[in-house]
C-alpha cells in the first residue's frame, strides 16, 4: 500500500513517534512475509542438494569420487542444511548516516535490518543483529520481538565516527567462526574525505573478494542505503559537504547533471564488482519502500 | 618616470570597483551533505582550482587595465628634458635674458616653474662659483631636472657637474643694473700674425647696460689692444644694446720681430664699465715668421705653397733659409733665428738614406698607408731619423755631429691616433696633413703628444680617459693650458687639441668627426647628456584597452 508513495515522507512522519515506527515495521514485515519459509541456504546438512566444483580447502570427504571417475574433475557434494543457519546483519552507524540534520537514512537502514531479522528469525534462522563502527550485538533466536526491541533501543543511537573498512572485513570473517554465514551489510558504502586519502575506498572494494576467499560458503549481501537527496542533488548552486570530515566543495548548478551521472556510474561499478565476487549489491534510496528492499534481499538468497 | 597630469592618478581609486564587484558577485552556495562526496571531489577540485585561477586572472586583468588607463591619462614621461625648475636672475638688467628664455621655453613646450634668484652682488657670487667644492655642494642641492641660469664665466665646471645630475643648463649672463660691457669673444684674422700684414681683430662685445628694447641708447666705451706688451691701438666704440661685433685693425706689427719666440699675446681691454671683471681678454697670437724653405721636390713645394708656416725660397743663396730640402746631392741648411737675428745655422748634405726617408715620411703621411700601432712604420721612421746624425759645419769647429731630431727640443711622438685602414678615414688624413705642417712649423709649436687609440695613457698621474670627468684646470692639466701643445686622446673618443690659432681648446668627437670649439662645448655636452623626453600615454592607454578587452573576452 505504501510502495506507490514516497516512503521518505511516511518515514519522516513516523520518525516523530517510535510507536508509529514499530507499527510500520510490523506492517512491512507482514507485507513481506509470503512464500516459502524454508531456508534455501546451502549448508553442510545430510540432505544432498547439488554438486559444485572443488576448491582447495574443501573437505575431501565430500568429494564425489564416482563423478571424478566419470569426468576426471573434482566435485564436492553440497547438502540442504537442516540446522539453523547464521544470518548476520550489520547496520552502519557512522556520521554519514546522519545527513542534512535528518536520521532518516539510518532509520531506513535500521527498519530494513529489523524487518529482515524478524522474517529470518520467524523462519528459524539464527540472526545476529549488530552495528558498526559502534558494536552493540543482539542475537535473535526465534523471538522476533527481540528485533523490535533492538530497533527501539538503538533508533536514537548517536551517529558518529567512520567505518574502518579494513578491520570490518577481518571482523566479518572472524565472526563466522568458520561456519558458513549470510552477511547483510547495510551501509552507504562511502569513505570519508580523509579515508579516501588513506585508501579506504580500496578496502571497501576488497570486502567482496576477501570474504569470498576466506569464507567460501558464506554469502554477502551489501545493501547500499542512500538518502534520495544525496543521490539526486537539487539543480542549484550547492556547497557539497562531506558529512564525516566536513570537507566542502562548491558546485555550480550547471554541473549537477554530470555529477549525478558520475554517482550512478560509480554505484553501478560497485554493483558489478560485488557480483563478480559472488556477492549481492543492492542500492536503495530512502524513498523506496523497505519491504521491496527486503524482498530483493530474500530473493537473492 | 614623471607625470604631466599627476592628478589623473586619482583614477586608480576605480580599482576598488572591480574588486568589490568580484567579491560581491560571488555565488551563494547552499550547503548540502552527501556521502557520495568522494566520487567527485578529485575531478571537481581541479575544476574549482582552475575556476579560481581564472577568476583571479580576470580580476588582475581588470585592475591592470584600470591602472594602465589611469597612468596613460596621467601622461607618463621618461627622459631628462622634463624640466621643472629654473633659477633666473630677475633683476631688471635681465629683461633680454628673460625674453630669450621665454622663446626657448615656448619652443620646448614644457612646463616650468620659475624661482627668483636675485643677487645684488653678481660679481661676488660669481667668485663663489669659482670655488669648486662650494659650487659642487650647491649644485647637488638643486633638484634633478632643474634648469639653471647663471653666470657664464665657469661653463665647463657647471656643465660637467650639472650634467652628471641630469640638469639641463642654459648659461646666460647674470648682471645687475648699470653700464656693463662684456667682452665675449675675440678673433684675429689671419689666425697667424704675419710681420708684413695687417691684423684684423674681431671683437664680440655684449652691451648689457641698457636693455630696454623700446628705447635703445648706444653706449660708448673705449678699447685698448696690447700686442706683445706694446699698446698698438686705443679707440672708442659706440655700442648698441645687446650683442655688437666690432672689427679693429692693427697695422703690420713689425716690432714683433723683436719678440723672442713665435708666440705673442694680444690683450684687449674695455673701459668705461662699472664691472671690469669681464672686460679683459688675452689671447695667444702665433707670429708666423715663415720658415723659409728651399725645395726642389714637388711634394715639399706643394706643402710650402699651401701652408701659412712656410715660405719658399728660390735659391739656396738667399739669406735666412730655414730648411733646404732637396734631392741628393743638394746641400741643406737650417738657420735658427733669435729675435729675428740669425744665431745658429746648421748646414749639411743629405747623407745616403736620410733624404729618401724624410720623403717617405712625408709621403707616407700624405698617402697614408698606415701603421698598425705606435710601434708601426711612422714610429720607426721617427726613430730612424732620431738615430741619424748630420754633418754639421759650425763656424767655431770644423765638423760636429748633431742629431737630426732632438727629442727634448721640439716634439714628442707617442704613437698615432688612428686605427687602420687609415686611407678610409678622411678625418685621419686631414689630421695627418695638419700634423705634418705642425711638425715642420715647429717653431710655432713646441710639443705634440699623440696617443694610441684605445691605449690607456696617463698625464701627470691622471689617466687621460678620465679627462672629461674631472674638472680641467690649470693645476690638474697644465699641459692642456700650454698653447703650444696638441693633444690627441682618441682612447677617450675625444680629441682635445690646443692650437695656436685663436681658440684655446677644441673638443672633438672622434666618432662623429666633428670639432667643437670650447665656447660651444657646453652645447655639445647638453646635446649628448640630456635625453629627450618621451610621452608614453598612448602606449599605456593601448595596453589598458587590450587588457580590458582580454578580461572581457576570455573571462
Amino acid at each position: 500500500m505504501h510502495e506507490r508513495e514516497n516512503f521518505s515522507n511516511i518515514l519522516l512522519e513516523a520518525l516523530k513517534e517510535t510507536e508509529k515506527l514499530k507499527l510500520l515495521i510490523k506492517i512491512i514485515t507482514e507485507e513481506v512475509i509470503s512464500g516459502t519459509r524454508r531456508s534455501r541456504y546451502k549448508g553442510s546438512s545430510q540432505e544432498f542438494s547439488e554438486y559444485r566444483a572443488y576448491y582447495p580447502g574443501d573437505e575431501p570427504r565430500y568429494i564425489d569420487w564416482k563423478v571424478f571417475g566419470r569426468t576426471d574433475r573434482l566435485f564436492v557434494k553440497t547438502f540442504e542444511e537442516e540446522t539453523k543457519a547464521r544470518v548476520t546483519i550489520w547496520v552502519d552507524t557512522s556520521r554519514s548516516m546522519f545527513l542534512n540534520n535528518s536520521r532518516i537514512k539510518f532509520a531506513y537502514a535500521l527498519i530494513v535490518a529489523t524487518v529482515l531479522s524478524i522474517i529470518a528469525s520467524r523462519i528459524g534462522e539464527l540472526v545476529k543483529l549488530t552495528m558498526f563502527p559502534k558494536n552493540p550485538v543482539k542475537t535473535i533466536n526465534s523471538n522476533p520481538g527481540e528485533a523490535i526491541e533492538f530497533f527501539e533501543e538503538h533508533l536514537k543511537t548517536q551517529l558518529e565516527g567512520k567505518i574502518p573498512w579494513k578491520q570490518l572485513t577481518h571482523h566479518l570473517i572472524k565472526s563466522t567462526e568458520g561456519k558458513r554465514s549470510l552477511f547483510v551489510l547495510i551501509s552507504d558504502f562511502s569513505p570519508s574525505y580523509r579515508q579516501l586519502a588513506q585508501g579506504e575506498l580500496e578496502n571497501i572494494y576488497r570486502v567482496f573478494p576477501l570474504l569470498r576467499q576466506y569464507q567460501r560458503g558464506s554469502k554477502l549481501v551489501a545493501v547500499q542505503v542512500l538518502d534520495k537527496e544525496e543521490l539526486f542533488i537539487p539543480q542549484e548552486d550547492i556547497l557539497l559537504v562531506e558529512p564525516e570530515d566536513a570537507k566542502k566543495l562548491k558546485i555550480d548548478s550547471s554541473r549537477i547533471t554530470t555529477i549525478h551521472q558520475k554517482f550512478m556510474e560509480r554505484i553501478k561499478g560497485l554493483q558489478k564488482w560485488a557480483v563478480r565476487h559472488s556477492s549481492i549489491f543492492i542500492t536503495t534510496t530512502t524513498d523506496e519502500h523497505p519491504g521491496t528492499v527486503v524482498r530483493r534481499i530474500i530473493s537473492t538468497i | 618616470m614623471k607625470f604631466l597630469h599627476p592628478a589623473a592618478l586619482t583614477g586608480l581609486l576605480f580599482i576598488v570597483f572591480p574588486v568589490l564587484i568580484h567579491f560581491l558577485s560571488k555565488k551563494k552556495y547552499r550547503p548540502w551533505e552527501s556521502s557520495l562526496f568522494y566520487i567527485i571531489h578529485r575531478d571537481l577540485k581541479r575544476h574549482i582550482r582552475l575556476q579560481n585561477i581564472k577568476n583571479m586572472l580576470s580580476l588582475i586583468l581588470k585592475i591592470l587595465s584600470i591602472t594602465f588607463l589611469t597612468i596613460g591619462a596621467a601622461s607618463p614621461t621618461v627622459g631628462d628634458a622634463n624640466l621643472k625648475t629654473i633659477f633666473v636672475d630677475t633683476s631688471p638688467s635681465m629683461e633680454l635674458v628673460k625674453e630669450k628664455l621665454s622663446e626657448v621655453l615656448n619652443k620646448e613646450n614644457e612646463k616650468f616653474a620659475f624661482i627668483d634668484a636675485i643677487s645684488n652682488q653678481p660679481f661676488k657670487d660669481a667668485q663663489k662659483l669659482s670655488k669648486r667644492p662650494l659650487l659642487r655642494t650647491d649644485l647637488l642641492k638643486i633638484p634633478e631636472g632643474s634648469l639653471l641660469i647663471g653666470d657664464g664665466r665657469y661653463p665647463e665646471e657647471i656643465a660637467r657637474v650639472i650634467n652628471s645630475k641630469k640638469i639641463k643648463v642654459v648659461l646666460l649672463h647674470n648682471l645687475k643694473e648699470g653700464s656693463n660691457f662684456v667682452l665675449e669673444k675675440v678673433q684675429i684674422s689671419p689666425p697667424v700674425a704675419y710681420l708684413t700684414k695687417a691684423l684684423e681683430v674681431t671683437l664680440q662685445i655684449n652691451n648689457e647696460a641698457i636693455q630696454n628694447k623700446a628705447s635703445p641708447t648706444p653706449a660708448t666705451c673705449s678699447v685698448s689692444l696690447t700686442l706683445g706688451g706694446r699698446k698698438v691701438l686705443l679707440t672708442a666704440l659706440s655700442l648698441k644694446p645687446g650683442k655688437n661685433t666690432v672689427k679693429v685693425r692693427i697695422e703690420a706689427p713689425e716690432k714683433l720681430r723683436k719678440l723672442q719666440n713665435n708666440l705673442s699675446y694680444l690683450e684687449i681691454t674695455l673701459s668705461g664699465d662699472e664691472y671690469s671683471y669681464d672686460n679683459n681678454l688675452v689671447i695667444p697670437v702665433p707670429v708666423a715668421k715663415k720658415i723659409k724653405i728651399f725645395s726642389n721636390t714637388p711634394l715639399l713645394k706643394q706643402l710650402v705653397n699651401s701652408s701659412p708656416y712656410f715660405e719658399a725660397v728660390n735659391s739656396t743663396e738667399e739669406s735666412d733659409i730655414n730648411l733646404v730640402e732637396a734631392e741628393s746631392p743638394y746641400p741643406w741648411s737650417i738657420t735658427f733665428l733669435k729675435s729675428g737675428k740669425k744665431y745658429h745655422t746648421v748646414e749639411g748634405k743629405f747623407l745616403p738614406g736620410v733624404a729618401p726617408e724624410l720623403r717617405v715620411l712625408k709621403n707616407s703621411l700624405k698617402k697614408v698607408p698606415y701603421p698598425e700601432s705606435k710601434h708601426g712604420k711612422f714610429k720607426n721612421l721617427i726613430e730612424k731619423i732620431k738615430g741619424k746624425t748630420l754633418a754639421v759645419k759650425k763656424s767655431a769647429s770644423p765638423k760636429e755631429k748633431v742629431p737630426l731630431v732632438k727629442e727634448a727640443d721640439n716634439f714628442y711622438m707617442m704613437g698615432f691616433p688612428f686605427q687602420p685602414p687609415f686611407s678610409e678615414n678622411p678625418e685621419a688624413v686631414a689630421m695627418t696633413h695638419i700634423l705634418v705642417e705642425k711638425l715642420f712649423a715647429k717653431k710655432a709649436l713646441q710639443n705634440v703628444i699623440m696617443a694610441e687609440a684605445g691605449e690607456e695613457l696617463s698625464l701627470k698621474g691622471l689617466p687621460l680617459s678620465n679627462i672629461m670627468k674631472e674638472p680641467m684646470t690649470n693645476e690638474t692639466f697644465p699641459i692642456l693650458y700650454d698653447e703650444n701643445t696638441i693633444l690627441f686622446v682618441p682612447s677617450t673618443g675625444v680629441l682635445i687639441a690646443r692650437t695656436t690659432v685663436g681658440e684655446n681648446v677644441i673638443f672633438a668627437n672622434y666618432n662623429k668627426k666633428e670639432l667643437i670649439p670650447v665656447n660651444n662645448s657646453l652645447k655639445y655636452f647638453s646635446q649628448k647628456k640630456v635625453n629627450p623626453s618621451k610621452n608614453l600615454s598612448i602606449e599605456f592607454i593601448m595596453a589598458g584597452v587590450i587588457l580590458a578587452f582580454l578580461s572581457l573576452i576570455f573571462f
Side-chain angles (χ1 to χ4, degrees):
Chain A
M1 71 181 218
H2 298 299
E3 283 181 4
R4 289 175 190 170
E5 293 181 31
N6 185 341
F7 187 76
S8 301
N9 299 333
I10 298 165
L11 193 53
L12 273 173
E13 186 60 34
L15 269 174
K16 292 173 184 170
E17 290 180 43
T18 313
E19 288 305 316
K20 278 186 183 178
L21 276 175
K22 284 159 75 178
L23 184 61
L24 191 62
I25 289 168
K26 283 173 186 174
I27 292 168
I28 295 166
T29 309
E30 290 308 318
E31 282 178 358
V32 172
I33 293 173
S34 62
T36 180
R37 296 190 177 196
R38 187 175 181 182
S39 169
R40 291 177 60 230
Y41 189 69
K42 310 294 185 294
S44 56
S45 67
Q46 297 304 311
E47 194 178 338
F48 174 73
S49 173
E50 60 182 4
Y51 287 110
R52 66 167 176 80
Y54 171 81
Y55 291 100
D58 286 342
E59 286 190 40
R61 63 188 171 116
Y62 292 122
I63 296 172
D64 193 324
W65 296 105
K66 288 179 184 174
V67 176
F68 175 70
R70 288 201 300 272
T71 63
D72 281 346
R73 292 175 66 188
L74 287 173
F75 286 93
V76 289
K77 289 174 185 172
T78 58
F79 301 92
E80 288 278 340
E81 193 182 49
E82 287 181 345
T83 55
K84 289 179 180 177
R86 185 182 288 265
V87 178
T88 311
I89 303 170
W90 299 74
V91 181
D92 184 352
T93 60
S94 67
R95 170 65 179 79
S96 64
M97 298 300 279
F98 180 75
L99 285 180
N100 299 317
N101 286 323
S102 170
R103 302 173 69 84
I104 190 168
K105 191 174 164 185
F106 173 68
Y108 187 91
L110 199 54
I111 287 170
V112 170
T114 309
V115 170
L116 193 61
S117 304
I118 292 168
I119 293 169
S121 65
R122 276 194 186 177
I123 60 173
E125 307 287 7
L126 182 65
V127 180
K128 199 174 170 185
L129 196 57
T130 186
M131 294 183 175
F132 60 101
K134 288 190 172 180
N135 203 15
V137 182
K138 181 83 177 178
T139 306
I140 300 152
N141 190 0
S142 309
N143 185 2
E146 287 177 334
I148 300 286
E149 280 174 21
F150 185 85
F151 173 81
E152 197 173 353
E153 193 179 336
H154 296 290
L155 179 63
K156 292 183 179 173
T157 191
Q158 193 159 0
L159 300 170
E160 60 188 3
K162 305 167 187 179
I163 299 175
W165 288 95
K166 194 172 180 180
Q167 287 90 321
L168 178 70
T169 310
H170 293 305
H171 202 61
L172 284 175
I173 295 165
K174 196 178 170 187
S175 68
T176 59
E177 296 169 351
K179 294 176 182 174
R180 296 181 179 181
S181 303
L182 172 69
F183 296 104
V184 180
L185 271 178
I186 306 173
S187 170
D188 52 17
F189 290 89
S190 301
S192 74
Y193 176 77
R194 285 189 188 134
Q195 281 183 316
L196 198 64
Q198 292 159 0
E200 279 290 76
L201 183 62
E202 288 76 14
N203 288 332
I204 292 175
Y205 275 77
R206 278 195 201 118
V207 171
F208 304 98
L210 281 174
L211 205 68
R212 183 186 169 187
Q213 185 181 346
Y214 292 104
Q215 288 297 322
R216 190 163 303 284
S218 300
K219 191 149 197 169
L220 174 63
V221 177
V223 181
Q224 186 180 33
V225 176
L226 298 173
D227 195 311
K228 190 190 174 186
E229 290 179 336
E230 71 176 329
L231 184 59
F232 299 95
I233 299 170
Q235 197 82 22
E236 57 185 292
D237 295 331
I238 288 293
L239 181 66
L240 198 67
V241 182
E242 196 283 305
E244 289 175 3
D245 289 324
K247 200 75 186 170
K248 292 166 186 171
L249 206 58
K250 286 175 187 170
I251 301 172
D252 294 334
S253 57
S254 60
R255 300 185 68 84
I256 299 293
T257 311
T258 317
I259 285 168
H260 182 248
Q261 283 171 358
K262 285 193 174 178
F263 283 174
M264 298 311 289
E265 280 169 17
R266 181 60 71 94
I267 288 165
K268 280 178 187 169
L270 197 55
Q271 286 170 348
K272 281 182 185 173
W273 176 261
V275 171
R276 197 172 140 196
H277 295 91
S278 308
S279 301
I280 311 296
F281 195 95
I282 297 166
T283 302
T284 183
T285 51
T286 51
D287 60 333
E288 191 178 10
H289 194 279
T292 315
V293 179
V294 175
R295 272 193 218 107
R296 283 165 64 192
I297 296 168
I298 292 169
S299 69
T300 59
I301 300 170
Chain B
M1 185 183 290
K2 290 168 182 174
F3 298 99
L4 293 181
H5 311 297
L9 290 175
T10 51
L12 288 172
L13 294 174
F14 284 106
I15 289 173
V16 174
F17 291 109
V19 175
L20 280 178
I21 290 167
H22 178 80
F23 287 108
L24 293 178
S25 67
K26 277 194 168 181
K27 287 180 181 175
K28 289 184 179 173
Y29 292 87
R30 186 173 152 204
W32 201 261
E33 284 189 329
S34 173
S35 61
L36 301 174
F37 181 91
Y38 75 96
I39 296 174
I40 52 168
H41 99 276
R42 276 183 185 158
D43 291 344
L44 276 188
K45 207 172 172 185
R46 198 178 298 120
H47 166 76
I48 287 165
R49 198 175 291 152
L50 281 172
Q51 192 64 43
N52 286 341
I53 291 170
K54 279 175 80 175
N55 289 343
M56 196 48 68
L57 268 177
S58 171
L59 178 63
I60 290 168
L61 280 178
K62 283 170 188 162
I63 290 172
L64 281 177
S65 170
I66 291 174
T67 307
F68 275 72
L69 287 172
T70 309
I71 292 174
S75 293
T77 309
V78 291
D80 303 326
N82 185 25
L83 306 174
K84 295 290 182 188
T85 312
I86 305 169
F87 293 82
V88 189
D89 177 355
T90 55
S91 62
S93 64
M94 296 293 281
E95 284 301 318
L96 283 179
V97 170
K98 282 190 278 186
E99 277 181 28
K100 184 67 184 168
L101 182 63
S102 300
E103 288 173 22
V104 173
L105 300 187
N106 288 334
K107 278 181 192 170
E108 296 207 10
N109 195 23
E110 294 278 7
K111 290 189 174 179
F112 293 89
F114 288 86
I115 295 175
D116 291 353
I118 300 174
S119 170
N120 292 324
Q121 294 177 308
F123 180 45
K124 285 185 179 176
D125 288 350
Q127 281 183 322
K128 281 181 190 172
L129 283 175
S130 68
K131 293 176 183 173
R132 186 153 44 82
L134 178 66
L135 172 66
R136 211 180 268 276
T137 311
D138 291 343
L139 290 175
L140 288 174
K141 290 175 188 169
I142 298 171
E144 189 173 325
S146 296
L147 183 66
L148 187 73
I149 297 174
D151 192 274
R153 282 170 60 85
Y154 304 92
E156 288 170 35
E157 287 191 57
I158 292 173
R160 286 201 192 94
V161 176
I162 290 181
N163 274 299
S164 72
K165 294 295 291 177
K166 296 182 180 177
I167 297 168
K168 189 176 180 182
V169 181
V170 175
L171 292 164
L172 298 172
H173 290 278
N174 175 13
L175 300 168
K176 60 177 283 190
E177 302 278 14
S179 60
N180 188 10
F181 310 116
V182 181
L183 182 57
E184 289 190 329
K185 196 175 177 184
V186 176
Q187 278 186 324
I188 57 169
S189 179
V192 177
Y194 296 99
L195 300 179
T196 53
K197 287 184 182 175
L199 194 64
E200 191 176 69
V201 183
T202 306
L203 306 172
Q204 195 168 309
I205 303 169
N206 199 11
N207 175 12
E208 297 189 348
I210 304 162
Q211 302 213 2
N212 188 348
K213 284 181 83 179
S215 58
T217 309
T220 307
C221 79
S222 61
V223 57
S224 70
L225 282 76
T226 307
L227 185 61
R230 295 179 64 88
K231 193 168 276 187
V232 290
L233 191 68
L234 176 65
T235 182
L237 300 172
S238 179
L239 302 171
K240 63 185 185 208
K243 288 189 176 176
N244 294 267
T245 304
V246 181
K247 288 184 179 177
V248 293
R249 188 179 172 88
I250 302 172
E251 295 307 324
E254 286 291 337
K255 289 178 180 175
L256 288 179
R257 280 189 179 280
K258 293 180 180 176
L259 297 178
Q260 290 190 355
N261 55 41
N262 287 1
L263 185 72
S264 188
Y265 293 91
L266 177 64
E267 184 178 1
I268 305 101
T269 307
L270 299 179
S271 57
D273 184 359
E274 293 178 27
Y275 304 97
S276 57
Y277 67 92
D278 51 5
N279 289 5
N280 190 277
L281 274 180
V282 178
I283 63 165
V285 178
V287 181
K289 289 183 282 187
K290 283 192 173 184
I291 299 168
K292 291 183 179 178
I293 294 179
F294 168 78
S295 173
N296 64 353
T297 57
L299 170 66
L300 205 54
K301 274 183 180 173
Q302 187 185 348
L303 183 67
V304 167
N305 289 333
S306 60
S307 170
Y309 302 103
F310 300 104
E311 186 181 341
V313 294
N314 297 323
S315 166
T316 53
E317 302 303 320
E318 290 185 24
S319 61
D320 285 355
I321 296 174
N322 300 103
L323 178 66
V324 174
E325 197 264 7
E327 298 286 357
S328 181
Y330 288 97
W332 63 269
S333 67
I334 298 176
T335 303
F336 293 89
L337 302 174
K338 189 171 182 181
S339 301
K341 291 180 179 176
K342 192 192 297 182
Y343 70 96
H344 184 57
T345 303
V346 180
E347 293 176 331
K349 288 181 180 177
F350 283 113
L351 297 177
V354 174
E357 278 171 3
L358 271 177
R359 193 165 60 253
V360 167
L361 164 65
K362 286 177 284 185
N363 285 335
S364 65
L365 292 175
K366 196 167 184 181
K367 292 177 183 175
V368 222
Y370 206 22
E372 291 122 29
S373 70
K374 66 177 181 179
H375 306 295
K377 206 172 176 181
F378 187 82
K379 171 88 176 177
N380 292 339
L381 282 169
I382 296 300
E383 291 298 327
K384 281 181 183 176
I385 294 168
K386 278 184 185 174
K388 301 292 178 187
T389 54
L390 299 175
V392 176
K393 188 167 70 183
K394 247 182 162 182
S395 56
S397 56
K399 273 193 175 179
E400 188 179 343
K401 289 189 174 179
V402 174
L404 179 65
V405 177
K406 282 186 183 174
E407 186 174 312
D409 276 353
N410 296 312
F411 64 87
Y412 302 94
M413 188 70 70
M414 295 172 63
F416 204 76
F418 303 109
Q419 295 281 14
F422 196 61
S423 58
E424 291 174 15
N425 189 338
E427 186 188 11
V429 173
M431 284 294 173
T432 309
H433 279 275
I434 294 170
L435 270 177
V436 171
E437 286 190 6
K438 300 295 182 194
L439 284 168
F440 278 92
K442 53 197 174 192
K443 289 199 173 181
L445 189 73
Q446 288 178 351
N447 300 310
V448 175
I449 296 177
M450 299 172 72
E452 180 71 18
E455 190 177 359
E456 189 73 18
L457 293 177
S458 64
L459 194 65
K460 303 284 182 187
L462 282 167
L464 289 180
S465 55
N466 290 337
I467 200 163
M468 303 307 290
K469 298 171 190 169
E470 292 296 324
M472 199 162 61
T473 65
N474 210 358
E475 288 76 29
T476 53
F477 287 99
I479 195 162
L480 295 179
Y481 285 78
D482 182 350
E483 288 79 4
N484 294 330
T485 300
I486 288 180
L487 177 65
F488 287 93
V489 193
S491 60
T492 62
V494 173
L495 179 148
I496 301 169
R498 173 158 295 218
T499 72
T500 58
V501 289
E503 298 295 333
N504 286 330
V505 179
I506 293 176
F507 293 91
N509 188 323
Y510 172 68
N511 295 325
K512 288 186 177 177
K513 299 183 177 69
E514 60 180 355
L515 296 172
I516 299 158
V518 68
N519 291 344
N520 292 325
S521 64
L522 193 63
K523 187 180 170 188
Y524 166 72
F525 283 127
S526 299
Q527 285 169 352
K528 192 171 182 180
K529 301 286 183 182
V530 179
N531 298 323
S533 65
K534 190 184 176 189
N535 195 313
L536 300 174
S537 280
I538 292 173
E539 285 83 351
F540 272 92
I541 288 172
M542 286 296 290
V545 170
I546 290 168
L547 288 170
F549 185 71
L550 286 175
S551 71
L552 290 174
I553 294 295
F554 292 109
F555 302 104

